[in-house]
């Protein structure tokens, strides 16, 4: 009996820490799948480049060329008439397009880098949650095993008259609660693994994940300086500038009305060449509606710019406040001596099973809390890293 209990204690303590040789975060990076959010961001940027490429120079869009040919029948003989026409819509705002092109090129560089960094962060957060739920599940499983052994001890003590009969009932009640907690731990671990599989090429059955190791949080003064010149801050600023310039370009395109036209025709023995301009007349109220839209959208963009910057700064200040108050972050603590002492007191009759269960629950909940604290520390570190990542340029 004593050897069995000691074995349960050693499993309980070593379980969450034995995963160090298992699947690490670096190994997960090699299995990473394309991130849907990253792919959508890249696709949106490609769409903007395609839309911008449809305009160029002083032209609103590519010229349209039409060629026609037909047979001419006359009393003097037959011939072929040929006509070539060109229509070139004008965009008399080359500066607007140039600004939009520069803003898009600058934003593309920073946005692509940020998309990769945020994709890595999402994978890291999924890994931390999956590891944490696995480690807590191991604690719950070993707790159930130990309680089954303690139940036999309680039954033996009741049978010998050392304890009243309700002590067995109390241990049984605690065992029921542990089974319920174990079922919830299984559910959380399964959901976390399924979420991790959406980011990495992993089997359906969970693999054991390695301990993330110590979390070395930086000095609060370091992130504050890095945030001011971070990739994230620049990417947000350049994205807002890109949206503003894209809107101004769309307004110029909607307001463009002039186009160049020309034709060259061969009709029998005659040739005719024409050049001219065309003006698309606005419908009633179109100009007023265009000006109203421009005013409303500009106000919205100004407010969105202000809101986005405030949200970014608030996000960073929240992370910084957590960093200042987080404190030291040890690895998940080993409670071997504490659990062994509780077990020894129970076997020696110095503690009743019900009292020993309470003591052990406090120790095990402390171990779970240490696992959660390490996960939270790494999550905070990941948040700070993506918010202070340097500009690749």
């Amino acid at each position: 009996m004593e050897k069995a209990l000691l074995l349960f204690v050693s499993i309980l303590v070593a379980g969450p820490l034995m995963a160090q040789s298992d699947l690490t975060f670096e190994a997960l990076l090699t299995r990473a799948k394309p991130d849907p959010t990253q792919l959508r961001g890249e696709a949106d940027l490609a769409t903007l480049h395609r839309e911008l490429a449809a305009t160029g120079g002083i032209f609103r869009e590519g010229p349209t060329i039409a060629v026609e040919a037909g047979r001419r029948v006359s009393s003097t003989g037959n011939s072929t008439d040929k006509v070539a026409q060109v229509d070139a819509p004008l965009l008399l705002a080359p500066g607007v397009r140039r600004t939009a092109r520069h803003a898009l090129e600058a934003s593309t560089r920073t946005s692509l880098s940020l998309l990769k960094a945020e994709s890595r962060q999402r994978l890291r957060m999924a890994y931390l949650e999956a590891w944490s739920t696995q480690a807590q599940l191991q604690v719950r499983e070993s707790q159930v095993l130990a309680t089954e052994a303690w139940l036999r001890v309680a039954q033996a003590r009741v049978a010998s008259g050392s304890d009243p009969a309700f002590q067995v009932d109390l241990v049984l009640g605690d065992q029921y609660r542990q089974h319920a907690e174990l079922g919830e731990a299984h559910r959380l671990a399964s959901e976390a693994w399924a979420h991790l599989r959406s980011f990495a090429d992993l089997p359906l059955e969970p693999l054991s994940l390695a301990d993330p190791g110590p979390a070395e949080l930086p000095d609060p003064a370091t992130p504050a300086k890095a945030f001011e010149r971070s990739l994230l801050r620049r990417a947000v600023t350049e994205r807002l500038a890109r949206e503003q310039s894209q809107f101004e370009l769309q307004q110029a395109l909607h307001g463009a009305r002039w186009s160049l036209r020309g034709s060259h025709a061969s009709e029998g023995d005659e040739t005719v060449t024409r050049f001219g301009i065309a003006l698309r007349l606005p419908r009633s109220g179109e100009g007023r509606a265009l000006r109203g839209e421009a005013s409303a959208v500009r106000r919205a963009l100004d407010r969105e710019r202000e809101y986005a910057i405030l949200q970014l700064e608030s996000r960073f200040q929240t992370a910084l406040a957590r960093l200042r108050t987080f404190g030291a972050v040890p690895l998940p603590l080993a409670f071997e001596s504490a659990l062994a002492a509780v077990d020894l007191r129970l076997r020696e009759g110095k503690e009743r099973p019900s009292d020993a269960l309470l003591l052990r629950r406090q120790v095990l909940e402390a171990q779970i809390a240490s696992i959660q604290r390490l996960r939270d520390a790494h999550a905070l570190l990941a948040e700070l890293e993506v918010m202070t990542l340097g500009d690749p340029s």
Side-chain angles (χ1 to χ4, degrees), residues 222 331 365 372:
T222 304
L331 285 171
E365 287 181 351
Q372 294 172 336

Side-chain angles (χ1 to χ4, degrees), residues 57-60 89-96 252-253 255-260:
I58 63 172
F59 296 109
R60 186 181 65 193
L90 297 176
L91 176 63
L92 303 178
V96 174
L253 291 172
R257 304 187 183 280
W258 294 94
S259 61
L260 294 176

